Amino acid sequence: MEAEGPNAGLPPDREDVVAALLAHQRRFLAFVERRVGSRAVAEDLFQTAFARTLEKGGALKDGEGAVAWFYRLLRNALVDHHRRQVAEGRALEVEARDADSATEDPELKGAVCACLADLLPTLKPEYAQLVREVDLEGRAVPDVAREVGITPNNAGVRLHRARLALKRSLERGCGACAAHGCLDCSCKPRR
C-alpha cells in the first residue's frame, strides 16, 4: 500500500525535510506576508519555494537544516519578487510618460479604420472598454485602471490582450487592409 499525503512518493531522505518544512509552514507564510503585504502573494511565493525544495532539496538530510535553508530560499524569492515589482513599475511609468507626451494628430485620428468601430463591441466588455478609453480617448492606463478597480499591471495585461484580439479580428475581417494599418480602408462597412 502506497503512502498518502505530502510525503507520498518521496525518497526516505526527503521525508524529514518535507515534514520539517510543513511543520513551519505558518511561520514561513507569516514571514513572507509581513514583507509583501498580501496573503495571496505570500502563498504563491511559499508554494514556488516549496516546489523548488522538492526538486533540489534532496541533499538536505536533517529537518532543522532544511528550515534555515528554506528561510534563505524565501529571502531570495522576496528579493526577486521586489525586483520584478520595481521593474514593472518602471515600465508602467515609461508607458504612461510616452502616452502623455504623444501628440495627437487629428487627421490620423479621423483616418482610423471604420471596421474598428464595428469590431470593438465583439471583444470582451472589459477589453473593449480599455481599448476605447486608452487607445481612442487617449487616457492613461493607470487612470483607467483606478476607475475600473484593477491594478495598472492588470490593466496593461488586459490592454495587450485586447489589442491582440482586436488585431486578429481586423485581420480576419479586413485582410490586407489591416496588415497595412487601415489608413486607406477599402473595406465595406458591416451594417
Side-chain angles (χ1 to χ4, degrees):
M1 184 172 177
E2 289 187 29
E4 292 183 17
N7 297 348
L10 290 175
D13 65 335
R14 284 195 183 173
E15 287 180 7
D16 64 331
V17 171
V18 172
L21 295 179
L22 290 177
H24 289 84
Q25 181 177 359
R26 281 189 177 156
R27 289 184 192 147
F28 293 142
L29 283 171
F31 171 80
V32 175
E33 187 175 0
R34 277 191 310 273
R35 286 153 178 84
V36 296
S38 165
R39 180 67 174 199
V41 172
E43 288 175 354
D44 286 345
L45 291 172
F46 172 80
Q47 291 297 329
T48 301
F50 193 76
R52 207 173 282 162
T53 299
L54 293 178
E55 292 170 3
K56 301 182 193 259
L60 299 171
K61 297 291 184 201
D62 71 339
E64 287 309 311
V67 171
W69 178 78
F70 195 72
Y71 270 115
R72 280 194 306 276
L73 190 62
L74 287 174
R75 283 186 192 93
N76 291 340
L78 285 164
V79 168
D80 291 344
H81 170 75
H82 289 300
R83 283 182 184 151
R84 276 191 306 274
Q85 295 292 97
V86 168
E88 289 170 357
R90 278 194 308 256
L92 285 173
E93 287 174 14
V94 168
E95 186 174 328
R97 254 194 326 267
D98 289 348
D100 289 343
S101 67
T103 58
E104 192 171 307
D105 184 350
E107 188 176 318
L108 183 60
K109 192 170 184 175
V112 172
C113 180
C115 300
L116 180 73
D118 292 338
L119 292 174
L120 202 54
T122 66
L123 296 177
K124 289 181 180 179
E126 61 269 19
Y127 286 4
Q129 179 183 10
L130 280 169
V131 169
R132 192 177 303 107
E133 292 188 25
V134 173
D135 291 337
L136 300 180
E137 295 174 11
R139 298 190 56 217
V141 173
D143 295 340
V144 176
R146 197 175 313 110
E147 286 178 15
V148 176
I150 58 177
T151 65
N153 244 5
N154 190 337
V157 170
R158 282 188 190 179
L159 184 59
H160 175 73
R161 290 177 180 164
R163 288 172 177 162
L164 287 177
L166 189 57
K167 178 183 177 190
R168 279 188 235 112
S169 293
L170 281 169
E171 287 172 347
R172 260 192 319 272
C174 299
C177 172
H180 294 70
C182 293
L183 294 179
D184 293 319
C185 184
S186 58
C187 300
K188 293 182 176 144
R190 304 159 203 236
R191 305 263 182 232

